[in-house]
Amino acid sequence: MKLYLSVDMEGITGLPDHTYVDSKFHNYERARKIMTQEANYVSQAAFENGCSDIVINDSHSKMNNLLIDELHSDVTLISGDVKPFSMMQGLNDDYDGAMFIGYHARAGSFGVMSHSMVHAVRHFYINDIPLGELGMNAYVAGYYGVPVLLVAGDDQAIKEAEEIIPNVTTACVKETVSRSAVKSMTPKKAGELLTEKTKQALANRNQVKPLIPPERPILKIEFCNYGQAEWAHLIPGTEIVEGTTIVQFQAKDMIEAYRAMIAMTELALHTAFS
């Protein structure tokens, strides 16, 4: 069995605020170690329960956070930036399942460090359905026929996952107090939970169907200000919805929509004054 892990950071155990997820701040190195440990708990449990091949994609910020010298020796790591498919780099139809670790809630919602890709974004939509990173990534997996078997993160990410992926196994490692405060279990207890939930997710894999994206999806991104929308509108085929900061793109498939999302959000960051 071949397994794909997308590992983000904001939903990792014990991390309450940006000082843990931004490499410029003092708590970041501590957070990297906990992040790596969580990837290892899931990997070890997966190897012990039928998986023979595990690829981990580092999916946070510059995507070079996981400590490869401390990772399980039998996994393969995708690390660094730029990646054409960002948080889903390397996924294809060869995989039997995907797991999302360290995930968080979407922009504009209650949840620790909630956001969608970049802070310039208020909302993502596919065919007017609001989605965050979790939903967009699950649709990419579904495009390849790969079910998302496990989602681990804070309580609001778990709620989001259960709303969009029927029968998904979830692991809640911390509860949101505010956007920058959490009530969290310890890393050791979280490791025990992740081990058990990984085992459960693999046993339950036949009950989870891929989240199939719509054909020819319409991507809409609502930005925080008009300048960000103007930058995103540089992508050919986009239009700004009149009277809003929403940029719309008619995609031929989910893969094109996802790549457009990546390009639009990156361009939006060029706005000089927010």
Side-chain angles (χ1 to χ4, degrees):
M1 189 189 313
K2 189 173 183 180
L3 186 65
Y4 181 91
L5 302 186
S6 174
V7 185
D8 203 355
M9 202 168 195
E10 286 87 356
I12 295 296
T13 303
L15 279 54
D17 60 42
H18 72 287
T19 65
Y20 288 80
V21 301
D22 186 329
S23 62
K24 296 190 296 292
F25 290 93
H26 61 290
N27 283 317
Y28 172 71
E29 289 302 325
R30 293 169 60 199
R32 295 180 76 188
K33 292 182 179 180
I34 302 171
M35 181 187 187
T36 303
Q37 289 169 358
E38 293 205 356
N40 283 341
Y41 281 121
V42 173
S43 298
Q44 182 64 38
F47 281 128
E48 292 175 355
N49 288 275
C51 290
S52 56
D53 188 358
I54 298 176
V55 174
I56 299 177
N57 183 30
D58 191 325
S59 298
H60 174 70
S61 189
K62 294 302 180 183
M63 303 188 177
N64 57 3
N65 312 278
L66 288 165
L67 301 168
I68 192 168
D69 52 324
E70 296 183 17
L71 274 178
H72 192 293
S73 59
D74 293 328
V75 306
T76 302
L77 175 66
I78 302 173
S79 180
D81 196 27
V82 174
K83 295 173 181 171
F85 289 96
S86 188
M87 300 178 77
M88 300 304 288
Q89 184 65 38
L91 184 71
N92 56 41
D93 57 10
D94 290 338
Y95 290 85
D96 299 291
M99 295 184 178
F100 296 164
I101 311 302
Y103 269 54
H104 54 81
R106 62 185 174 89
S109 65
F110 179 64
V112 61
M113 293 184 275
S114 58
H115 68 280
S116 296
M117 298 301 284
V118 298
H119 295 305
V121 172
R122 281 185 178 152
H123 298 290
F124 287 149
Y125 300 93
I126 291 290
N127 289 8
D128 292 321
I129 299 171
L131 297 170
E133 295 169 19
L134 195 160
M136 293 290 286
N137 294 346
Y139 265 156
V140 171
Y143 175 86
Y144 290 113
V146 178
V148 178
L149 304 178
L150 173 68
V151 175
D154 69 86
D155 56 336
Q156 299 306 306
I158 297 313
K159 180 181 177 182
E160 195 173 307
E162 292 173 346
E163 288 174 351
I164 63 176
I165 308 172
N167 299 322
V168 67
T169 300
T170 56
C172 177
V173 299
K174 59 188 178 185
E175 297 176 15
T176 304
V177 175
S178 71
R179 194 172 177 276
S180 57
V182 295
K183 179 182 179 182
S184 179
M185 60 178 60
T186 63
K188 182 178 179 180
K189 282 294 183 182
E192 294 172 2
L193 177 67
L194 290 167
T195 297
E196 180 58 32
K197 290 293 188 175
T198 300
K199 179 180 178 180
Q200 180 182 327
L202 292 170
N204 189 54
R205 65 185 182 277
N206 292 330
Q207 305 305 312
V208 185
K209 303 299 181 185
L211 187 66
I212 304 299
E215 296 182 4
R216 290 187 52 77
I218 298 174
L219 168 70
K220 293 181 181 178
I221 303 180
E222 182 180 5
F223 291 97
C224 293
N225 68 50
Y226 202 84
Q228 293 156 349
E230 289 173 325
W231 272 99
H233 181 41
L234 294 177
I235 299 293
T238 61
E239 59 178 308
I240 300 178
V241 178
E242 186 176 358
T244 74
T245 59
I246 296 172
V247 182
Q248 178 172 296
F249 177 73
Q250 172 67 71
K252 66 180 181 182
D253 56 29
M254 188 61 208
I255 298 304
E256 185 175 65
Y258 193 80
R259 295 198 69 180
M261 176 274 290
I262 295 167
M264 289 162 68
T265 53
E266 288 295 324
L267 281 169
L269 295 178
H270 287 277
T271 306
F273 180 73
S274 58

